[in-house]
């Protein structure tokens, strides 16, 4: 067997032929690419995703589509990984330069770090100007914000002790991080680790499904306040939600999808239960609808 790689990159795919070639090409151009490995976990693609990934030199692991959850697919990839650090990367998340992967693994020189990820906004919607360290107290204030498996990295040793939950439709990343934050570790969110990743072309139906999935997952480990028709109407009428005007927010079909997904997801979450080792997080601050980035139409 070849020398152990410094980092394993796990990319989850299904019908990603339009983007997977670009993603893998950008990974191959990374400064530490010679000491990394790339694993593609495909859940039943019907296009040329697998062929493109194989041609690019990625190791392919195929799983039945019926078994897919985000946590289960990532657990499959992590089980195949040989490195002590695993990067989770969406198939349509594109690193911005050749030093991205090197920056991704650098924070793990600090043994307190369990995971890192990158995006531009802080939990209150302001622009991040540098790394932010999240501990358990910060996560309790902002449980909707933190580690993301869209473009994140975690310690394989910790994953072996406690894999991602496979019963969650989403937010398995933040639930996993919360487990370790409660044990003294920290998460680092750094805009320098960001990628180009866009959902702004989603249809109202797709927006509904994503919002429902995220809120249902969040409610499986966070004690959410009640959210009924009155709260739904208040949010629709008073929240601008990243749109250019209140009128655009109120009339946006995608916004209707977001609100409907929020409502059904949070109602379903009230009935969800987690395993004994994952007690629900009780927020210490106001819970804003900031779990999912506001997207303009």
């Amino acid at each position: 067997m070849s020398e152990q790689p410094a980092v394993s990159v796990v990319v989850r795919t299904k019908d990603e032929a339009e983007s997977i070639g670009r993603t893998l090409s950008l990974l191959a151009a990374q400064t530490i690419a010679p000491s990394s490995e790339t694993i593609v976990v495909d859940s039943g693609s019907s296009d040329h995703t697998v062929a493109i990934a194989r041609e690019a030199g990625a190791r392919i692991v195929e799983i039945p589509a019926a078994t897919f959850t985000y946590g289960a697919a990532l657990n499959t990839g992590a089980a195949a990984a040989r490195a002590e650090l695993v990067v989770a990367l969406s198939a349509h998340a594109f690193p911005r330069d050749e030093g991205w992967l090197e920056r991704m693994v650098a924070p793990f020189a600090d043994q307190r770090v369990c995971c890192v990820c990158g995006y531009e906004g802080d939990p209150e919607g302001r622009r991040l100007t540098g790394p932010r360290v999240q501990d358990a107290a910060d996560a309790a204030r902002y449980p909707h914000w933190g580690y993301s498996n869209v473009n994140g990295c975690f310690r394989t040793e910790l994953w072996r002790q406690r894999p991602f939950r496979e019963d969650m439709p989403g937010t398995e990343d933040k639930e996993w991080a919360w487990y370790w934050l409660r044990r003294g570790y920290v998460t680092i969110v750094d805009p320098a680790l960001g990628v180009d990743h866009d959902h702004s072309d989603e249809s109202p139906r797709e927006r509904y499904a994503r919002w429902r999935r995220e809120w249902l997952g969040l409610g499986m480990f966070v004690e959410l306040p009640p959210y009924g028709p009155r709260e739904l109407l208040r949010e629709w009428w008073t929240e601008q939600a990243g749109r250019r005007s209140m009128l655009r927010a109120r009339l946006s079909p995608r916004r209707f999808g977001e609100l409907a997904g929020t409502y059904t997801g949070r109602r379903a979450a009230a009935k969800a239960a987690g395993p004994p080792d994952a007690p629900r997080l009780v927020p210490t601050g106001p819970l804003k609808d900031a779990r999912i980035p506001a997207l303009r139409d």
Side-chain angles (χ1 to χ4, degrees):
M1 180 177 292
S2 60
E3 183 180 351
Q4 183 184 40
V7 60
S8 300
V9 183
V10 174
V11 183
R12 293 168 290 186
T13 62
K14 183 176 182 180
D15 295 332
E16 294 280 1
E18 291 187 6
S19 58
I20 189 62
R22 178 185 174 191
T23 301
L24 296 179
S25 177
L26 290 169
L27 288 174
Q30 294 296 302
T31 55
I32 62 171
S35 60
S36 68
E37 66 174 352
T38 300
I39 301 166
V40 168
V41 180
D42 188 81
S43 55
S45 288
S46 58
D47 61 9
H48 299 295
T49 297
V50 172
I52 294 170
R54 185 172 286 116
E55 179 68 21
R59 184 145 51 102
I60 310 298
V61 179
E62 297 185 70
I63 61 175
T67 68
F68 175 85
T69 66
Y70 291 98
L74 189 49
N75 285 342
T76 298
R82 295 188 293 121
E84 289 305 310
L85 295 174
V86 173
V87 168
L89 183 66
S90 172
H92 48 274
F94 308 120
R96 293 170 180 164
D97 61 64
E98 296 176 356
W100 172 80
L101 191 56
E102 190 170 355
R103 293 194 302 274
M104 184 70 79
V105 304
F108 291 93
D110 185 341
Q111 294 302 311
R112 300 176 305 151
V113 175
C114 63
C115 52
V116 305
C117 67
Y119 40 86
E120 281 68 36
D122 75 3
E124 296 180 340
R126 297 167 301 199
R127 188 171 185 83
L128 274 176
T129 58
R132 175 168 174 144
V133 178
Q134 185 181 57
D135 59 13
D138 192 56
R141 286 191 296 271
Y142 305 107
H144 55 274
W145 187 90
Y147 177 64
S148 172
N149 277 332
V150 169
N151 58 309
C153 184
F154 56 90
R155 292 188 187 274
T156 315
E157 176 187 3
L158 298 182
W159 171 84
R160 292 190 190 103
Q161 296 177 47
R162 209 263 190 173
F164 293 98
R165 281 179 57 179
E166 300 188 357
D167 61 324
M168 300 180 72
T171 69
E172 81 295 331
D173 38 21
K174 289 173 178 57
E175 192 276 340
W176 186 87
W178 168 242
Y179 178 90
W180 291 109
L181 295 183
R182 288 190 293 121
R183 286 155 177 80
Y185 287 88
V186 298
T187 293
I188 294 179
V189 180
D190 187 347
L193 306 180
V195 294
D196 291 329
H197 181 250
D198 187 19
H199 284 288
S200 60
D201 61 347
E202 286 179 326
S203 68
R205 182 188 296 271
E206 291 170 329
R207 195 67 63 87
Y208 164 82
R210 189 158 66 91
W211 251 251
R212 185 184 191 281
R213 181 174 68 240
E214 296 292 309
W215 276 107
L216 174 55
L218 193 66
M220 293 176 74
F221 76 101
V222 175
E223 193 70 48
L224 299 178
Y227 190 88
R230 181 176 299 179
E231 289 75 20
L232 172 68
L233 289 172
R234 182 185 300 116
E235 185 176 347
W236 170 69
W237 189 253
T238 63
E239 297 290 335
Q240 194 166 328
R243 271 68 180 187
R244 294 187 180 90
S245 69
M246 191 66 74
L247 180 62
R248 289 176 68 93
R250 290 174 183 165
L251 299 181
S252 166
R254 291 193 182 98
R255 179 62 172 152
F256 291 148
E258 295 167 11
L259 290 168
T262 298
Y263 178 77
T264 58
R266 291 184 67 161
R267 300 284 284 185
K271 304 175 183 178
D277 73 339
R280 288 192 177 187
L281 185 163
V282 179
T284 59
L287 185 66
K288 300 290 186 180
D289 185 4
R291 167 62 186 97
I292 305 170
L295 300 172
R296 291 182 177 177
D297 294 343

